[in-house]
Amino acid sequence: MNQTSWTRCHILSLADFVPAEYDTLLQTAASFREVLSRRTKKVPALQGQVIANLFFEPSTRTRSSFELAAKRLSADTLNLSAGTSSLSKGETILDTAKTYLAMGADIMVIRHQQAGVPQTVATEMDRLASGVSILNAGDGQHEHPSQALLDLFTLYSFLEPNSPSGFLQGTKIAIVGDILHSRVARSNIYSLTSMGAEVHLAAPSTLLPKLLAHITDGTRVGKLFLHWDIESALQDADLVMTLRLQSERMSQHLLPSLREYHQYYGITRDRLKLCQPGVKLLHPGPVNRGVEISSEVMDDPQFSLISQQVTSGVAVRMALLYLIGSSKV
Ligand code: NCD
């Protein structure tokens, strides 16, 4: 496995990821995909290491696949459930993290509803010279690096390019939905544009980040385009990524109704006719069926890469844990 270019201890954001890191990650994940296809789907790479999953916010896919990935690497795992932990007795997050440090955790995988929490814990772990690595598993509206990397690996596996370098060059990818509240979109914008894609964001104006609000429809920002109508974003797209409407993060009434959202922005069979003939669909899950995507399209294997994304999640999280875990020794 090629890990010579890997020097990163924490994975908190993709903002400063360089192409060589994406290449290493994709190649390492491909090796683990092969491991996962064997009869014995386990390797001793992280034997004796302790991986703590600290999830302060609900999760199905991310949490389960980090846990499975750790187990496939032969690490020991600890799981914090926010509702039943000492947090409910008033313990701070840093004290919780230090408790896991005292038990010998080597890697902490952290999800929190507030942006910046994984960074804060990483800073404290560095200050203590603990050698512990922090992996951001989604922080507020900020970033969700492992999701974007598994999306990238899903595309890499599907497209089967000869080499990972810039393998999305010449590809049009539409990201449709609640961009404003989406940490998935933010991380994906970094990774997809780094690999050469043209990324077209489409959302009602109330759900496009304020940061980008001064940019008018169709204006080019590097390889990023903004659209307030879905049709121009979907036109000739090779790939479409839909995002869940994050009602738990919506503090104001940003939409008239879910029905109206579906009418103007929902992914339907008819809308997909605007795209390239072989268009494929991604969604990080969980899906609101009939809101961001019609049930019929979601279940159609002709379009959907959604279950492949879940499968990719295990290989990619094995790669991430392996790369930061073995950079310690
Ligand atoms: C995403 C998340 O939690 O950020 N889901 C996931 O990790 N698979 C997206 C979402 O919640 O809509």
Side-chain angles (χ1 to χ4, degrees):
M1 259 171 231
N2 166 21
Q3 60 177 101
T4 45
S5 57
W6 203 267
T7 52
R8 204 176 277 272
C9 169
H10 309 295
I11 297 173
L12 303 169
S13 156
L14 296 185
D16 62 349
F17 251 59
V18 297
E21 289 178 295
Y22 289 111
D23 294 358
T24 302
L25 188 279
L26 291 171
Q27 280 160 347
T28 310
S31 311
F32 285 124
R33 181 183 53 201
E34 189 275 315
V35 168
L36 292 171
S37 70
R38 293 181 199 160
R39 235 179 74 180
T40 305
K41 302 171 172 53
K42 207 161 172 144
V43 286
L46 295 189
Q47 203 154 33
Q49 291 209 27
V50 176
I51 299 178
N53 290 314
L54 313 184
F55 278 63
F56 300 94
E57 197 198 74
S59 170
T60 302
R61 295 155 192 77
T62 308
R63 181 183 171 133
S64 307
S65 72
F66 264 117
E67 185 169 358
L68 186 56
K71 289 184 163 145
R72 297 295 197 210
L73 293 167
S74 307
D76 296 314
T77 55
L78 295 171
N79 287 299
L80 168 107
S81 292
T84 53
S85 75
S86 293
L87 281 165
S88 57
K89 299 181 184 172
E91 184 171 78
T92 69
I93 290 163
L94 281 184
D95 285 337
T96 303
K98 283 184 212 163
T99 303
Y100 282 92
L101 169 64
M103 268 183 255
D106 298 286
I107 299 175
M108 295 182 197
V109 179
I110 301 180
R111 164 169 290 197
H112 199 279
Q113 58 275 17
Q114 250 178 307
V117 167
Q119 172 71 68
T120 305
V121 178
T123 306
E124 181 64 4
M125 290 299 139
D126 290 349
R127 192 186 67 78
L128 296 170
S130 67
V132 168
S133 288
I134 305 297
L135 238 153
N136 178 6
D139 62 330
Q141 298 175 31
H142 176 225
E143 280 215 46
H144 193 347
S146 67
Q147 177 68 44
L149 293 170
L150 77 86
D151 293 338
L152 194 66
F153 184 63
T154 304
L155 299 181
Y156 180 67
S157 303
F158 171 68
L159 297 168
E160 295 185 316
N162 290 331
S163 134
S165 301
F167 79 96
L168 291 176
Q169 217 113 40
T171 310
K172 175 174 178 180
I173 304 181
I175 304 184
V176 182
D178 185 356
I179 316 274
L180 176 67
H181 297 100
S182 177
R183 53 197 179 203
V184 174
R186 240 166 283 270
S187 293
N188 262 297
I189 290 166
Y190 293 127
S191 53
L192 298 174
T193 55
S194 295
M195 299 310 275
E198 256 189 22
V199 175
H200 293 251
L201 307 178
S205 60
T206 49
L207 295 179
L208 269 182
K210 293 273 182 295
L211 188 69
L212 303 173
H214 65 284
I215 300 158
T216 50
D217 186 21
T219 303
R220 188 167 183 157
V221 188
K223 287 172 183 163
L224 191 62
F225 299 80
L226 303 185
H227 304 260
W228 290 351
D229 70 298
I230 188 172
E231 282 74 20
S232 58
L234 292 186
Q235 193 66 52
D236 298 323
D238 301 287
L239 298 154
V240 178
M241 183 179 291
T242 46
L243 301 170
R244 184 174 65 88
L245 282 180
Q246 314 250 328
S247 45
E248 76 277 19
R249 296 193 196 131
M250 282 191 199
S251 46
Q252 303 123 330
H253 298 284
L254 299 173
L255 288 173
S257 73
L258 294 183
R259 232 181 91 230
E260 194 166 316
Y261 177 84
H262 185 69
Q263 188 186 340
Y264 290 107
Y265 289 91
I267 300 294
T268 58
R269 201 175 281 278
D270 270 351
R271 288 219 162 96
L272 287 177
K273 288 185 185 142
L274 295 166
C275 305
Q276 291 289 351
V279 66
K280 294 287 171 191
L281 204 61
L282 297 108
H283 192 306
V287 177
N288 294 308
R289 278 179 183 266
V291 180
E292 58 261 10
I293 178 170
S294 74
S295 244
E296 177 205 24
V297 167
M298 179 179 164
D299 295 331
D300 189 338
Q302 184 201 334
F303 298 117
S304 175
L305 290 178
I306 298 172
S307 57
Q308 285 91 320
Q309 286 173 275
V310 177
T311 305
S312 297
V314 181
V316 166
R317 288 171 174 134
M318 283 175 83
L320 288 170
L321 294 171
Y322 171 79
L323 288 168
I324 58 176
S326 27
S327 71
K328 293 180 193 304
V329 286

Short mmCIF file of all heavy atoms in Angstrom, two decimals, residues 9 39-40 49 108 244:
data_model
loop_
_atom_site.label_atom_id
_atom_site.label_comp_id
_atom_site.label_asym_id
_atom_site.label_seq_id
_atom_site.Cartn_x
_atom_site.Cartn_y
_atom_site.Cartn_z
N CYS A 9 -1.94 13.83 10.73
CA CYS A 9 -2.30 13.13 11.97
C CYS A 9 -3.80 13.18 12.21
O CYS A 9 -4.42 12.20 12.62
CB CYS A 9 -1.54 13.78 13.13
SG CYS A 9 -2.08 13.27 14.76
N ARG A 39 -12.87 -14.04 1.70
CA ARG A 39 -13.68 -14.78 2.68
C ARG A 39 -13.40 -14.29 4.09
O ARG A 39 -14.30 -14.07 4.88
CB ARG A 39 -13.39 -16.28 2.56
CG ARG A 39 -14.68 -17.04 2.32
CD ARG A 39 -14.47 -18.49 2.19
NE ARG A 39 -14.18 -19.09 3.49
CZ ARG A 39 -13.96 -20.38 3.65
NH1 ARG A 39 -13.98 -21.18 2.61
NH2 ARG A 39 -13.72 -20.86 4.83
N THR A 40 -12.12 -14.08 4.39
CA THR A 40 -11.76 -13.52 5.70
C THR A 40 -11.52 -12.03 5.49
O THR A 40 -10.51 -11.62 4.93
CB THR A 40 -10.48 -14.20 6.24
OG1 THR A 40 -10.73 -15.59 6.25
CG2 THR A 40 -10.16 -13.72 7.64
N GLN A 49 -4.57 -1.28 18.73
CA GLN A 49 -4.93 0.15 18.83
C GLN A 49 -6.38 0.29 19.28
O GLN A 49 -7.22 -0.58 19.02
CB GLN A 49 -4.74 0.85 17.48
CG GLN A 49 -3.26 0.95 17.10
CD GLN A 49 -2.96 2.16 16.23
OE1 GLN A 49 -3.63 3.18 16.28
NE2 GLN A 49 -1.91 2.06 15.45
N MET A 108 -9.70 9.11 17.89
CA MET A 108 -11.08 9.43 18.27
C MET A 108 -11.83 9.92 17.04
O MET A 108 -11.37 10.83 16.34
CB MET A 108 -11.11 10.52 19.34
CG MET A 108 -10.50 10.08 20.66
SD MET A 108 -10.62 11.36 21.92
CE MET A 108 -9.38 10.75 23.09
N ARG A 244 -30.20 15.92 1.63
CA ARG A 244 -31.41 15.93 2.46
C ARG A 244 -31.72 17.36 2.90
O ARG A 244 -30.81 18.16 3.14
CB ARG A 244 -31.14 15.07 3.70
CG ARG A 244 -32.29 14.88 4.62
CD ARG A 244 -31.90 13.89 5.70
NE ARG A 244 -30.84 14.39 6.57
CZ ARG A 244 -31.05 15.11 7.66
NH1 ARG A 244 -32.28 15.41 8.04
NH2 ARG A 244 -30.05 15.53 8.40
#
